[in-house]
Amino acid sequence: MRDILAGLTAWYDRDVPFALATIVRTWKSSPRAPGAAMAVSQSGEVIGSVSGGCVEGALYETALEVLADGRSRTDVFRVTDDDAFGVGLTCGGTIEVFVQRVDRTSFPHFVELADRIREGDSVAVVTDTSAGYPTHYCVLSRHEQWGDLSIARDDVADVKRGLDSGDSAVYVVEVPGEANSTRILMVEIFAPRPRMYIFGAIDFAAALCRLGAFAGYHVTVIDARPVFATPARFPDADDIVVMWPHKFLESAPIDRRTVIAVLTHDEKFDLPLLERALRSHAAYIGAMGSRPTHERRVEALRERGLSTADLARLHSPIGLDLGAQTPEETAVSILAEMMKTLRGSTGGELRLLSGPIHRPPIAVGAGSHEHTAST
C-alpha cells in the first residue's frame, strides 16, 4: 500500500470511498509480494497493482461489488482454476487477495496511519479478513495502540517484533468463547525505508545515490570535504552529512536492513570507517578499490583486531561482474550485489536456473501464524 498511499490519502481527504485490494498470501510463483495493493475509487478510478496485470480485471469487478454492498471479500487466483487462466495467471502461482471498503466510518485511523508511514515510523495494521463486514482494525506502533486488537498477548508481542524486520504475517487465532471458531488476521507491517549510507562524495556516489533512492532507500551521503558534499552534487540524497566517516558511523542508526557503500578508496578514511562498519549489524558492507588495495586493506583491518568472519562480510572489490565502465553502470553492479546479498539469491542468469522466478513466502517457526514476505 505504501506506493499508492498518496492517491489513497487524496481520496480519503475528499471523503471518496474506495475498495482496497491487498495480497494476503502467495504460493509458488507470484509477480507481486504480500502487501502489494490496488485500489478502486467510487468513481471507478484505479491506482496500484497486485499482479503486474494478471488479475486486475477480475479484481476490478470484485472491488465494485465491495463498494456497492460494503462487504469485504477474499479472492484466490490459482493456475489450476479456469477463471485464473482467464485472467492470465498462468505462471504456476496462487495469490490470495483481500478486498475491503475504506471510508471514514470503516477506517477512522487511516489519516493517522498515513501520517505515521510518511514520517518513517514503524506501524502495523491488523485486519480481520474473516469478519465479512464491518472489518475491524487495530494499528500498532512500538509504544501505542489504536482500536480494538482481539488477539493474544503473545501475538501482540510478535507483531511488535515484526516492526523491526518489516515482515508481514497472517495469523490464525481462536475466537474467545466460541467453539471451533477461528479468525484470519492480516498483519501488514510498514517499516521505515531501509537506510543506505554512501561514503565519499564522488561521481560514482552520485550515480549510486540516484539508484538507491529509486530502489526505495533512505540515502545519506557522507564526506569530510564540504566542497564536495553539497546538495547541488547530490540532489537525490535524503541527507548530506559533512563529517569524518568513522565519526558519523559512531552514532548513526544501523540495523539488519542497512547497506553501506564505501567509495572513498582513501585509507585514512576507509580503515577506521570499515572497522566500525564490520563490527555493526549492517546487512551489506562494500568498499571500492582494486584487488591489491583490497588485500592491503584486509591486512590492515586484521591488525586492528577484526576476525576472519568479520572480514568475510566485506564485499571488495565492490559490485557484481557486469562489465561496468561508467559510474552509472558501476552503480547498477553495486545495487545488484546489495540485492543479491540481502535476498540470499544466486545473482546468476534466470535462464540458467531452475525453480520459481518469484520466491514463495518463507515460514518462520510453527504455531498460530505464518510469516510472509515484507510489504
Side-chain angles (χ1 to χ4, degrees), residues 54-55 58 76-91 93-94:
C54 293
V55 304
V76 178
F77 299 92
R78 298 187 181 92
V79 69
T80 55
D81 292 344
D82 291 338
D83 289 342
F85 277 112
V87 295
L89 189 62
T90 58
C91 53
T94 301

Side-chain angles (χ1 to χ4, degrees), residues 342-374:
L342 269 65
R343 307 283 169 79
S345 62
T346 66
E349 294 183 44
L350 289 174
R351 68 188 181 92
L352 301 179
L353 303 175
S354 60
I357 296 174
H358 304 282
R359 296 191 175 194
I362 300 173
V364 179
S368 63
H369 64 276
E370 66 181 286
H371 283 282
T372 64
S374 60

Side-chain angles (χ1 to χ4, degrees), residues 18-64:
F18 57 89
L20 181 63
T22 307
I23 295 182
V24 178
R25 289 181 283 192
T26 66
W27 294 266
K28 295 185 179 179
S29 181
S30 172
R32 299 293 303 275
M38 162 185 154
V40 179
S41 73
Q42 188 78 65
S43 63
E45 183 182 355
V46 179
I47 57 175
S49 171
V50 296
S51 70
C54 293
V55 304
E56 276 70 11
L59 278 178
Y60 182 81
E61 298 302 324
T62 300
L64 294 181

Side-chain angles (χ1 to χ4, degrees), residues 7-341:
L8 299 183
T9 303
W11 287 343
Y12 195 92
D13 289 343
R14 300 199 310 269
D15 200 14
V16 176
F18 57 89
L20 181 63
T22 307
I23 295 182
V24 178
R25 289 181 283 192
T26 66
W27 294 266
K28 295 185 179 179
S29 181
S30 172
R32 299 293 303 275
M38 162 185 154
V40 179
S41 73
Q42 188 78 65
S43 63
E45 183 182 355
V46 179
I47 57 175
S49 171
V50 296
S51 70
C54 293
V55 304
E56 276 70 11
L59 278 178
Y60 182 81
E61 298 302 324
T62 300
L64 294 181
E65 294 173 4
V66 169
L67 284 168
D69 63 21
R71 293 187 61 86
S72 59
R73 292 161 172 77
T74 298
D75 280 354
V76 178
F77 299 92
R78 298 187 181 92
V79 69
T80 55
D81 292 344
D82 291 338
D83 289 342
F85 277 112
V87 295
L89 189 62
T90 58
C91 53
T94 301
I95 63 174
E96 180 179 316
V97 186
F98 179 65
V99 188
Q100 58 188 302
R101 179 186 169 102
V102 177
D103 54 38
R104 294 184 180 181
T105 300
S106 66
F107 201 163
H109 300 297
F110 184 83
V111 171
E112 188 168 8
L113 167 66
D115 289 343
R116 293 299 184 94
I117 294 174
R118 279 193 294 264
E119 291 167 3
D121 289 349
S122 292
V123 180
V125 181
V126 181
T127 306
D128 187 347
T129 66
S130 56
Y133 103 106
T135 301
H136 303 292
Y137 296 89
C138 177
V139 184
L140 290 173
S141 68
R142 284 189 177 84
H143 308 294
E144 299 174 80
Q145 177 177 321
W146 317 301
D148 176 27
L149 184 63
S150 300
I151 61 176
R153 181 173 300 178
D154 289 345
D155 288 334
V156 172
D158 200 28
V159 170
K160 290 189 175 183
R161 282 193 292 271
L163 293 171
D164 293 318
S165 66
D167 291 335
S168 296
V170 172
Y171 288 73
V172 180
V173 299
E174 298 296 329
V175 178
E178 296 183 20
N180 301 319
S181 181
T182 60
R183 286 180 179 172
I184 308 298
L185 301 180
M186 176 177 66
V187 182
E188 296 178 88
I189 303 294
F190 296 93
R193 287 184 295 160
R195 302 178 185 91
M196 176 183 289
Y197 295 139
I198 303 175
F199 295 92
I202 61 175
D203 50 355
F204 291 92
L208 182 58
C209 183
R210 288 193 295 274
L211 278 187
F214 177 75
Y217 283 92
H218 182 106
V219 182
T220 301
V221 177
I222 308 98
D223 198 296
R225 304 164 298 177
V227 67
F228 293 108
T230 65
R233 285 170 54 82
F234 296 94
D236 300 294
D238 292 283
D239 300 298
I240 300 172
V241 178
V242 179
M243 184 183 292
W244 275 75
H246 71 282
K247 289 293 184 183
F248 170 82
L249 216 56
E250 287 177 357
S251 58
I254 298 176
D255 59 30
R256 298 186 187 279
R257 298 190 302 154
T258 302
V259 296
I260 296 173
V262 180
L263 308 183
T264 50
H265 51 82
D266 185 328
E267 287 190 1
K268 68 176 179 291
F269 293 118
D270 292 357
L271 292 179
L273 167 61
L274 288 172
E275 179 181 356
R276 284 167 174 76
L278 291 169
R279 297 185 192 279
S280 75
H281 294 299
Y284 171 92
I285 303 160
M288 182 172 280
S290 65
R291 297 189 191 281
T293 296
H294 171 66
E295 292 172 1
R296 291 195 305 271
R297 186 187 286 147
V298 166
E299 287 307 311
L301 290 170
R302 199 183 302 276
E303 291 174 2
R304 288 173 175 255
L306 272 78
S307 68
T308 300
D310 292 331
L311 294 170
R313 298 178 59 212
L314 178 59
H315 295 262
S316 178
I318 197 170
L320 298 183
D321 179 19
L322 302 181
Q325 299 291 331
T326 66
E328 289 75 17
E329 291 175 345
T330 302
V332 170
S333 77
I334 295 172
L335 182 61
E337 185 177 55
M338 290 174 174
M339 291 175 58
K340 170 185 177 297
T341 303

